[in-house]
Each structure stands twice: as structure tokens, then as C-alpha cells.
Amino acid sequence: MRSTIVLGTLAAAASASPALARRQYGTYKPLVTSEALQADITKEGLLEGAQTLEDFAYAYPRRTRIIGSEAHNDTVNWLKEELEALDGYYDVSLQNFFTVAMITGQINAFKVSGSNASASLFEYSASGNATAPLVVVANRGCNATDYPATVSGNIALISRGSCDFGLKSALAGTAGAAAAIIYNNAAGEFNGTLGVPPRPEGNYVATVAISQQLGTGFVQAIAGGANITATIDVTTDIQNVSTYNVLATTKGGDQNNKLALGAHTDSVLAGPGINDDGSGTVGILEVAKALSKYEIKNAVTFGFWAGEEEGLLGSTYYVEHLPANETAQIRGYLNFDMIASPNYIHAIYDGDGSAFNVSGPPGSAQFEKFLEDYFTSAGENFTATAFDGRSDYGPFLDVGIPSGGTFTGAEEIKTEAEAAAFGGEAGVALDKCYHAACDNVANLDLDAFELHGKAIAAAVATYATSWEGFPARNTTVARRSVPRARRTNESRHHRSRRSQPLKK
Ligand SMILES: [Zn+2]
């Protein structure tokens, strides 16, 4: 005991303690700079990470990284190992939470009057196999009184609109329908989610989506006296799932002036999710790895969220379980969800509200400006994307944390103006493989991936060094009112630019 005390006293004066000596000399690291950290982000590194995620998905017959899948669990474990391999630079942890997820789902048959017709399956649809007459539901099927008694035992035909898909399916189920069809209220086909069950209005029935053209055709024919019989045969597997966020916080740096950033680790059921959001996952991982070579002044937390596709589950869980004092430590949050789209745009979340009239908490505009300056200095054009809470920054906005980030586009069709600004093909989706089986490594644009990866590096290096010019956190900000309604209200902004499935 005594000798320890003596040594400790000496250590303070003369660095005699091995631990202190190591801290001072053995692991000397230069202070991070934007140039150095950007130089560490390469196409090779990004591609290798993306390939690893694809390999996880393709190692299993379902070829998906949806939460609860083997490949998603492999993704989580790989991230944890990669972050733990950085010589203790980060405190790494898994944050476990539970949810309900549709593990598999398919339409075995959809026939109208004996002929095959085109339909898509709603996420969280019940399984079912029914052949029965179509019964038209009044209005938009948002009230129990819209469902005539004749719906019982038959197939409810419901217009999209006014309320979420899940309510329609539940009310159809409560009315005794054998299955439900929701037809579009705009041109074209669509798909979406009923939302995680259970819900108070009742149990879901087998529910599919069809085009407006098909649906209104049936409505008119039935109004004219026709009797139309349909067959809906769907199989879904909905399970309770245990899943994980991966969290890594630098041990160094001022924990009271922390930068947080995040991406989501899960895909939809339909594919491996390599652009959505393997690109963001690998982008922030590569920056996290590179950062470990440097000294920082402000702490950085990297969040790898699960269950984004089921409704921002992981990021919501994280924010809701963060103690108030730790929430107050986060100066800002940066989100990266889809940053390597094949027909890309360079979009920045509209933190100042100049383009879409929804601004973020003070500091969001500074993040937007920082990223604008980054693209300008890289000689690239940029545009704004709506700041509507439809990705993992939503829960951070809800507690008053300024947010920002970049995005290269989902299923929206590229305009002529966008083609002029960014190249690529007008009239084609920004990511033609959005939420599809083909969202694999071949779907990535590596130039965009590298540019946005370096943008992450530039932001991390900058804010891990100084928050100069950035407003102080207002930690007394009340939770935003009705954030859920905002998040599920697709009509407020164009319904594109989202990463969550449609709910209404
Ligand atoms: Zn996404």
C-alpha cells in the first residue's frame, strides 16, 4: 500500500506511472484535421465495407438484413468487433430492445374474376387465403360505420387516403372481412406498412395494395351491378424480435460538447439494403475507424440504429432512454441515410427551413451551411431535402437537438434540373433499387459514396475540434408537439425523400 502511494505521488510530478507515461507518450496522436480525416476515406474502404454487408445478406436464402434476420445480427456483431478493435478508443456497447417485425411475407396468389392481377403486400399484413366477392367500403374506410354489414366474410375494397393503412385493415377485420384491398388515390401502384401490431381497433386481415386504375374500375363495375370475386392468398411471418443498436463513444474529448452521428443498420425485407442504409453505416464506420488515429477536443458518439425501416425504432429507443443530462451533452446530431444512390443528387437536410418551411432547432441551419460549404469547396452542386423527420434524426429533433446530414436520393424521379446539376439520367429514379432486392453493391455509385463519406469526415473533424460559431444548446426546449403525426403525415411534403415505408 505504501509504495503505491509513494509511486502515485511521484507520478504526478514526474510521469513515473507507466499508465500516465503511455497516455503522454506511447499513444501520442496528432489533433484531427479535416484534410487528414477526409484523406482516410477511400472508395476501397467504403466498397469493402459495403461488400461485407452484402456478403452477410447473401449468406442466407432470404438475402435480407431486416431486423431479426441472421444477416442483421451479423451486421451488428461485425460493427461491434470493428469498433472494439480500435485499441480502446471507444466505449462500445450494444443496446438491446424488442419489437415486432414481419420476417417474411409474400403474395401467393392475387386473382380477380379468375385472372392474375398486380398487387403488393402491406408490411404486417395478416396471413390469409380467401376467395370471395369484393364489397365497396364507403368514404375512405376510416370509420367503422363506413363498413357495410355485407363486408363480413367478403373482401373489403377501400380507397387510400385520410387515415393510415393499418386503421383500414383493422376496421375491415373488426367488420368480419376475410381480406382487404386498398386501392391508390393517385396514379400508379404503391406499397406501405400497416404499422407494428397490435392496434386497439382490431386485428389486421390479409391486406394488399393495388393501383387506382384497377381499384376505381372495380368500384365502377360493382356500382353498375357487377359481382366481382377475388382471390387473395398471402403468407406472412410476424415475430417478436430482439435487436440491437451499436453505440460507440470516444473516451477522449469533452463529453459535455459531444457530436453524435448515426446511420441505420437494418434493411427492408425485400433486399440487402446496401445503399439503404449500408452506405451510411459504412460511411460513419469508416470515419469512426479513421478518427481513432487522432486526438480530439470534443467527444463523438457514433450510433448504428436498428429498426429504422419499422419506424425509427432504434434511434427512438436511444433518445427516449437517454438520461436528461446526457441528452444535454449532445451539441448536435448528423444523420446519413442513403449516400451512394446510383442516379444521385447531393441533398442536404433543410435545417434552416428555407426550402421546405420546416426548420430544425438552433444549430440545424449551421449544419446545413457547413455541408453547403463542403460541397461548394468540392466543386459540386447541392440541393435541399425536406427536414420532415422521416429518418433517424427525427427523434433527435423531437428533444431539441440540432440535426443535419446528407442524402443522395431514393425512389424519386430525377428532374431535368437535377440532371443538369448532378449528371445522371432525368426521368429515372434516383435509386431504382430503393427497398428492392437489387439494392446491393452493384447499386452503389462510388463517386457519390466517396464524396459523402468525406463530408462525414469533414464534419466530424470540424466539430470534434471546435463548436465555434455554433449556438449553445437550449436544453429547456420542450418536446415538439405531435411529432408522430408529423412523421406519418405524408401529405405535408412530397411523399418521396423518405426512408420509412408509407403508412397512409
Ligand atoms: Zn434508410
Side-chain angles (χ1 to χ4, degrees), residues 264 266 275-278 308-309 336-338 390-392 407 434-435 498-500:
H264 71 86
D266 60 309
N275 185 33
D276 183 12
D277 182 26
E308 190 271 353
E309 301 289 4
F336 298 92
D337 188 356
M338 305 181 73
R390 284 208 180 94
S391 186
D392 288 308
F407 171 66
Y434 175 68
H435 284 185
R498 72 181 189 276
S499 59
Q500 280 188 270

Side-chain angles (χ1 to χ4, degrees), residues 377-427:
S377 66
E380 299 284 344
N381 290 312
F382 57 84
T383 186
T385 185
F387 208 39
D388 55 10
R390 284 208 180 94
S391 186
D392 288 308
Y393 58 88
F396 290 85
L397 293 183
D398 290 342
V399 294
I401 296 174
S403 302
T406 68
F407 171 66
T408 54
E411 85 285 26
E412 321 75 350
I413 303 299
K414 185 171 254 181
T415 64
E416 293 288 349
E418 288 172 337
F422 303 107
E425 237 184 306

Side-chain angles (χ1 to χ4, degrees), residues 275-490:
N275 185 33
D276 183 12
D277 182 26
S279 61
T281 297
V282 171
I284 70 169
L285 174 66
E286 286 294 294
V287 172
K289 285 158 62 176
L291 186 65
S292 71
K293 299 192 294 186
Y294 302 101
E295 196 67 49
I296 51 174
K297 291 185 173 165
N298 297 321
V300 183
T301 291
F302 293 85
F304 299 84
W305 317 121
E308 190 271 353
E309 301 289 4
E310 276 66 33
L312 317 182
L313 300 180
S315 53
T316 301
Y317 188 91
Y318 172 77
V319 170
E320 289 185 349
H321 289 80
L322 202 59
N325 65 313
E326 290 186 41
T327 303
Q329 291 174 329
I330 301 175
R331 292 290 300 271
Y333 171 76
L334 292 169
N335 193 67
F336 298 92
D337 188 356
M338 305 181 73
I339 56 168
S341 308
N343 195 26
Y344 61 81
I345 56 174
H346 301 312
I348 304 167
Y349 295 137
D350 184 29
D352 62 7
S354 62
F356 296 93
N357 258 318
V358 179
S359 58
S364 305
Q366 279 78 1
F367 274 149
E368 185 181 6
K369 177 70 165 58
F370 176 87
L371 291 164
E372 288 173 356
D373 289 347
Y374 166 80
F375 285 109
T376 299
S377 66
E380 299 284 344
N381 290 312
F382 57 84
T383 186
T385 185
F387 208 39
D388 55 10
R390 284 208 180 94
S391 186
D392 288 308
Y393 58 88
F396 290 85
L397 293 183
D398 290 342
V399 294
I401 296 174
S403 302
T406 68
F407 171 66
T408 54
E411 85 285 26
E412 321 75 350
I413 303 299
K414 185 171 254 181
T415 64
E416 293 288 349
E418 288 172 337
F422 303 107
E425 237 184 306
V428 173
L430 303 177
D431 181 356
K432 64 188 185 313
C433 291
Y434 175 68
H435 284 185
C438 59
D439 184 11
N440 57 22
V441 165
N443 187 43
L444 302 176
D445 184 286
L446 293 179
D447 290 333
F449 203 174
E450 182 185 38
L451 184 68
H452 287 250
K454 287 180 184 291
I456 302 169
V460 168
T462 299
Y463 296 111
T465 309
S466 170
W467 288 102
E468 197 188 330
F470 206 88
R473 263 296 302 287
N474 178 359
T475 54
T476 59
V477 167
R479 275 182 173 261
R480 287 181 154 200
S481 57
V482 292
R484 302 286 163 182
R486 173 170 53 76
R487 243 179 268 157
T488 56
N489 182 352
E490 78 173 87

Side-chain angles (χ1 to χ4, degrees), residues 55-403:
D55 291 347
F56 289 149
Y58 286 0
Y60 305 95
R62 292 188 291 146
R63 294 162 78 93
T64 178
R65 295 188 305 116
I66 191 174
I67 49 168
S69 66
E70 301 92 334
H72 183 256
N73 292 335
D74 291 347
T75 301
V76 164
N77 291 328
W78 173 69
L79 288 168
K80 181 168 180 280
E81 284 165 16
E82 289 280 297
L83 292 159
E84 283 177 343
L86 301 171
D87 292 331
Y89 191 82
Y90 295 100
D91 281 319
V92 183
S93 63
L94 295 183
Q95 185 178 38
N96 184 213
F97 65 95
F98 298 85
T99 186
V100 172
M102 186 169 90
I103 302 300
T104 61
Q106 62 192 42
I107 298 178
N108 305 312
F110 178 62
K111 293 180 181 182
V112 181
S113 304
S115 302
N116 288 326
S118 179
S120 60
L121 180 66
F122 280 103
E123 190 181 26
Y124 297 115
S125 165
S127 294
N129 184 357
T131 297
L134 298 183
V135 174
V136 176
V137 170
N139 304 313
R140 284 177 165 172
C142 297
N143 294 297
T145 51
D146 292 335
Y147 293 76
T150 49
V151 160
S152 184
N154 294 322
I155 296 173
L157 181 61
I158 314 164
S159 172
R160 180 183 181 186
S162 298
C163 61
D164 57 292
F165 303 132
L167 179 60
K168 298 173 199 242
S169 182
L171 290 176
T174 299
I181 298 171
I182 301 174
Y183 61 91
N184 207 347
N185 58 357
E189 301 189 341
F190 72 112
N191 58 51
T193 182
L194 301 179
V196 175
R199 58 181 301 151
E201 297 85 1
N203 295 327
Y204 294 149
V205 290
T207 307
V208 299
I210 63 172
S211 70
Q212 181 181 38
Q213 192 186 9
L214 209 54
T216 54
F218 297 153
V219 170
Q220 282 162 17
I222 292 166
N227 190 352
I228 302 176
T229 294
T231 295
I232 296 177
D233 179 4
V234 307
T235 308
T236 60
D237 181 5
I238 295 164
Q239 292 183 9
N240 289 307
V241 164
S242 168
T243 192
Y244 300 89
N245 291 328
V246 185
L247 304 170
T249 297
T250 57
K251 289 178 181 165
D254 180 359
Q255 299 288 332
N256 286 316
N257 280 292
K258 196 182 294 181
L259 171 69
L261 57 163
H264 71 86
T265 56
D266 60 309
S267 72
V268 294
L269 177 61
I274 302 304
N275 185 33
D276 183 12
D277 182 26
S279 61
T281 297
V282 171
I284 70 169
L285 174 66
E286 286 294 294
V287 172
K289 285 158 62 176
L291 186 65
S292 71
K293 299 192 294 186
Y294 302 101
E295 196 67 49
I296 51 174
K297 291 185 173 165
N298 297 321
V300 183
T301 291
F302 293 85
F304 299 84
W305 317 121
E308 190 271 353
E309 301 289 4
E310 276 66 33
L312 317 182
L313 300 180
S315 53
T316 301
Y317 188 91
Y318 172 77
V319 170
E320 289 185 349
H321 289 80
L322 202 59
N325 65 313
E326 290 186 41
T327 303
Q329 291 174 329
I330 301 175
R331 292 290 300 271
Y333 171 76
L334 292 169
N335 193 67
F336 298 92
D337 188 356
M338 305 181 73
I339 56 168
S341 308
N343 195 26
Y344 61 81
I345 56 174
H346 301 312
I348 304 167
Y349 295 137
D350 184 29
D352 62 7
S354 62
F356 296 93
N357 258 318
V358 179
S359 58
S364 305
Q366 279 78 1
F367 274 149
E368 185 181 6
K369 177 70 165 58
F370 176 87
L371 291 164
E372 288 173 356
D373 289 347
Y374 166 80
F375 285 109
T376 299
S377 66
E380 299 284 344
N381 290 312
F382 57 84
T383 186
T385 185
F387 208 39
D388 55 10
R390 284 208 180 94
S391 186
D392 288 308
Y393 58 88
F396 290 85
L397 293 183
D398 290 342
V399 294
I401 296 174
S403 302

